[in-house]
Amino acid sequence: MGSAAYTDQAHAIHARDVSFDFASVPMHYIPGEVMATHIINVMHLVLPEGERAMAQALTEALPLISDERLAEEVRGFIGQESMHAGSHEQARRQLEQLGLEVGPMVELMSWLTDRLLGDHGLTGRAKHAWLCERLALFAGMEHYTAVIGEWLLTNDKLEAAGMHPAMLDLIRWHGAEEVEHRSVVYDAYMYVDGSYARKARQAVIASVGLLALFAASGGYLFHRDPEPTKGRWWPWQLAGASVRGVVPSFTTFFTEIPRYLRPGFHPSQLGPMDNALRYLAKSPAARGGVS
């Protein structure tokens, strides 16, 4: 077990019962932004599988965490990730009904996740070492989801572009909870292991892996898009969307590495949590309504 003490941030993390109505969501729910729409769509394909694997790793780590406050936050995190996966699954079903063929991609992601991030049936020291590797990887990934979550909460470009309100609420609710629980996986990793070398190695893998995953999955969805007006050459559309601020800049996956690897870094240093908590207080879906 790592020697780093867990820092209590005095914030209870719990799963919220949310409800979304995606029945009126069109194929291109960001008007005039086909590729930006599909980059957001990657969340509905990729994130549920990754969140399932993350929840599995944290469940394995729970018996190793004797700090009750941290264990409570881990349990709350697992509940939130389960709700995220279920909500994105609903959005994916709507896109399939509109004719976007995503089944092969979902099956591939499920297979890859199990092959690459499963427990592999290991025992003893090998099991513990592999758990530490996965926790370090997921801590790195959660850094990026927290940064992107903050971007979603503070960026007004999507709303100005006329993004469908249910989809906007979905990604902002998800982003807000990513900011809310940004420290949990990092704290769990530091408690269970805490190796800087492992943290650095897996941070680079997380950065490169997420960048490749978003680009490849977004390109796949663009090619599967049945709309005849989707345009051509998705990399050009993606670059334009990034310049216009409709999607986060992909340079984020490189510029954040030095901050994450700075000695003494902790996710609580990313910025105040106020934006996330304010949005969760007003989100139609999080307040018990239907967005």
Side-chain angles (χ1 to χ4, degrees), residues 51 61 66 88 91 105 130 136 150 164 166 169 189 217 234 237:
E51 289 173 333
S66 57
H88 285 290
M105 184 68 182
W130 178 232
E150 182 66 24
H164 191 282
D169 188 28
Y189 168 68
S217 300
W234 65 264
Q237 291 192 34

Side-chain angles (χ1 to χ4, degrees), residues 21-50:
D21 182 2
F22 298 120
S24 63
V25 172
M27 178 70 73
H28 302 149
Y29 48 79
I30 309 175
E33 296 285 356
V34 177
M35 193 57 198
T37 296
H38 289 311
I39 289 297
I40 300 298
N41 281 341
V42 173
M43 297 172 64
H44 313 310
L45 286 172
V46 177
L47 290 188
E49 292 303 319

Side-chain angles (χ1 to χ4, degrees), residues 255-270:
T255 58
E256 284 295 323
I257 292 178
R259 175 161 65 163
Y260 182 73
L261 296 182
R262 186 180 64 236
F265 169 82
H266 187 267
S268 60
Q269 299 166 3
L270 290 176

Side-chain angles (χ1 to χ4, degrees), residues 178-189:
E178 291 296 331
V179 173
E180 182 185 36
H181 67 220
R182 62 193 177 185
S183 300
V184 176
V185 183
Y186 186 91
D187 286 336
Y189 168 68

Side-chain angles (χ1 to χ4, degrees), residues 25 89 103 208:
V25 172
E89 172 68 17
V208 175

